[in-house]
Amino acid sequence: MTSHEKDVQRAEMAERLRQSREYVGLSQEEVASALGISRPAVTHIESGNRKVEATELSILARLYRRTLEYLLTGREPAPQGPEQLVFLARAIKGLSERDLDEVARFAEFLKQSSKASRKE
């Protein structure tokens, strides 16, 4: 892999990290606190000017409720078949109409994120 390709990958991951943080509604200050780093360091991560440590990426995945695979590559693991659908049906059972709307909004966000990464 060339230096340019690495730079492109880092920039793409930085953008996914920024979008994920914004989606869950966290400030850079809150993320910095969770990681034990300065807010400017978070800015540098999100701009692609600072590498992300493996331990930091693991914390960010949990914080943003995203998979490591998504943060690294922009791809989500494939659904695991009918069992996955049953799990999702159970997960949303009993949610309020407002909560269901939020789940639908998040699903649409994931679809758009996936489409954007495939175009690149």
Side-chain angles (χ1 to χ4, degrees):
M1 179 177 295
T2 68
S3 176
H4 174 71
E5 290 170 329
K6 288 180 184 178
D7 290 344
V8 169
Q9 280 187 342
R10 185 179 303 142
E12 290 171 350
M13 184 174 70
E15 180 62 16
R16 283 190 294 278
L17 290 168
R18 183 191 61 75
Q19 288 177 347
S20 296
R21 175 185 57 77
E22 289 176 350
Y23 183 80
V24 296
L26 294 173
S27 68
Q28 287 186 339
E29 191 67 43
E30 292 168 318
V31 172
S33 178
L35 293 175
I37 61 176
S38 68
R39 191 213 40 83
V42 174
T43 300
H44 289 299
I45 288 170
E46 291 183 356
S47 65
N49 294 323
R50 178 187 180 277
K51 293 180 181 179
V52 183
E53 300 288 329
T55 53
E56 293 170 338
L57 195 59
S58 179
I59 292 167
L60 291 171
R62 284 194 309 273
L63 199 59
Y64 299 159
R65 298 175 192 95
R66 301 305 304 250
T67 64
L68 285 171
E69 182 176 354
Y70 172 78
L71 294 178
L72 288 168
T73 67
R75 293 185 304 272
E76 286 288 356
Q80 302 301 311
E83 305 86 30
Q84 185 73 15
L85 293 176
V86 170
F87 166 78
L88 291 172
R90 285 187 188 138
I92 64 170
K93 184 178 180 183
L95 292 179
S96 70
E97 197 64 37
R98 183 176 180 205
D99 290 340
L100 289 172
D101 287 344
E102 182 64 17
V103 169
R105 189 171 80 82
F106 183 64
E108 192 57 37
F109 168 78
L110 293 176
K111 287 180 196 174
Q112 295 304 318
S113 295
S114 178
K115 287 178 185 176
S117 67
R118 283 193 301 255
K119 289 180 182 177
E120 298 170 358

